[in-house]
Every structure is written in C-alpha cells, then in structure tokens.
Amino acid sequence: MPVDAVWATIDRERLDLADLLADLARAEWEHPSLAEGWRVRDVAAHLALAHTGAGRAALDLIRAGGRMPRMIHDAAVRHAELPPERLVEQIRAMAGSRRKVPGLSPLEPLLDVLVHGQDIAVPLGRPRAMPVDAAAAAATRVWTMRWPMSATFPRVAGVRLVACDTDWAVGDGELVEGPVQALLMVLTGRTAAVRDQLAGPGAARLA
C-alpha cells in the first residue's frame, strides 16, 4: 500500500474503533479480550498510548525492569484507569496525525489497530471486517518482522498460508486457506478465534 493509503486506513480504523468503543456498555469494558490477561479496556488503553513519547516510554521500561512485554502490559493497565470516555477521546483525536514511534514504519500502527480491534470486537460478538488490502499489508509486515514476531515462525512451520480473497500467500508446506484477515490473526497468535474460517490439509497443524 502507498504510505498515504496506509495512513488514511489507520485514520478510518481509529475513528471506527472509537465509535465501537463509545457504544459499549460499562460491563463490556471489563470483558476479557482475545489477548490473555487483557481486558477490553486495557486493549483500548494500549491503543490510546500509541503517541506515547520516548521519555515516558523509557520510564515505563525502567519500571518494568527492562522487560518490554511487561512494560507494554503494565503501561496499558495503568492508563486503563482513565474513564472509558477519555480513552475514546484519545483514540479519536489521533485521526489525522502521522505521529509514530521512532524507527517504526506506518505499518506498525496499522497492524496495531487492525489486530487489537479484533481483540476487542471478537469476544464481544461485534463483527468488525478489516479492509482486505490493509490486512494483506499488515500480514506481510508480520511475516517479515524478525522481532517481536519471531514466535510466529514456529507457529506456522510446515504450512503455506494462502488468502482466498486476495492475491497473498506465504510459507511452505501443507495448504491453509482463509480470508487474509483470518490469516493475519493466525500470524499474530490468535488462531483459536478464526479456526472456523480456515480450510485445507494444513489447518489442523496450526497451534
């Protein structure tokens, strides 16, 4: 995707997700997300922190003992103490901005809003379709990342992932077919949420 198209998609997805969050009942904010150990409000808070500056991120990393996964989780949980309305406002206010973490491409915030949007929507039973071209771009980015997505490769070892709704495929081995949105979820460790969308002799091999 051209860079301008990536940012335009990020804007639309953030605004759409903000609308979804604004419609949630209080109990839904406390519902477990697809990410183990994260509530819906924690995931929303993580997305609201996308514009965190380097100084705050460094302090959060020190508080977490230098452990990046713990820092990301703990920072989100602390930020999730804000009222839901404030988190919605923060996500909505990002639309139109191209601010991102230094050193990352625009595909990382695209990946974040697409996948974490599913983390929120799927367990609440709220359908949320990804734009096919954006899902394909995000899936390619995951496939080519050596960190922190290195755990992806053992997870999909011995299979070839082929999208049935666009020209996209990666890997070698037994065929696994599905919508590219579902394949992106597989690549990011959320296979259980999309297992019924997968077909082919390799589907049973997926962890």
Side-chain angles (χ1 to χ4, degrees), residues 50-207:
H51 287 175
T52 298
R56 177 173 174 178
L59 289 174
D60 287 340
L61 189 58
I62 292 170
R63 293 176 71 174
R67 289 172 286 181
M68 184 67 74
R70 179 177 173 183
M71 182 273 277
I72 294 170
H73 175 268
D74 291 356
V77 171
R78 286 192 297 270
H79 200 64
E81 295 176 3
L82 289 177
E85 295 82 4
R86 182 63 180 138
L87 297 175
V88 172
E89 290 172 4
Q90 290 177 342
I91 294 171
R92 198 183 302 279
M94 292 179 189
S97 170
R98 294 196 173 191
R99 183 177 175 183
K100 60 180 179 59
V101 176
L104 298 185
S105 77
L107 291 173
E108 277 75 28
L110 176 67
L111 173 61
D112 251 12
V113 73
L114 290 178
V115 174
H116 291 318
Q118 298 299 310
D119 287 340
I120 290 169
V122 171
L124 296 179
R126 293 177 177 246
R128 181 174 167 78
M130 296 181 193
V132 171
D133 56 346
T140 298
R141 180 58 181 148
V142 174
W143 184 255
T144 58
M145 291 172 76
R146 288 297 174 260
W147 187 90
M149 295 298 183
S150 56
T152 289
F153 305 110
R155 186 181 301 129
V156 295
V159 300
R160 179 164 177 76
L161 304 177
V162 178
C164 60
D165 53 352
T166 189
D167 183 17
W168 187 91
V170 295
D172 295 294
E174 293 185 290
L175 177 66
V176 177
E177 286 187 292
V180 70
Q181 172 173 330
L183 300 182
L184 173 59
M185 298 294 280
V186 169
L187 288 173
T188 54
R190 293 153 172 85
T191 302
V194 296
R195 194 175 297 278
D196 62 346
Q197 300 176 47
L198 305 176
R205 294 174 57 100
L206 295 175

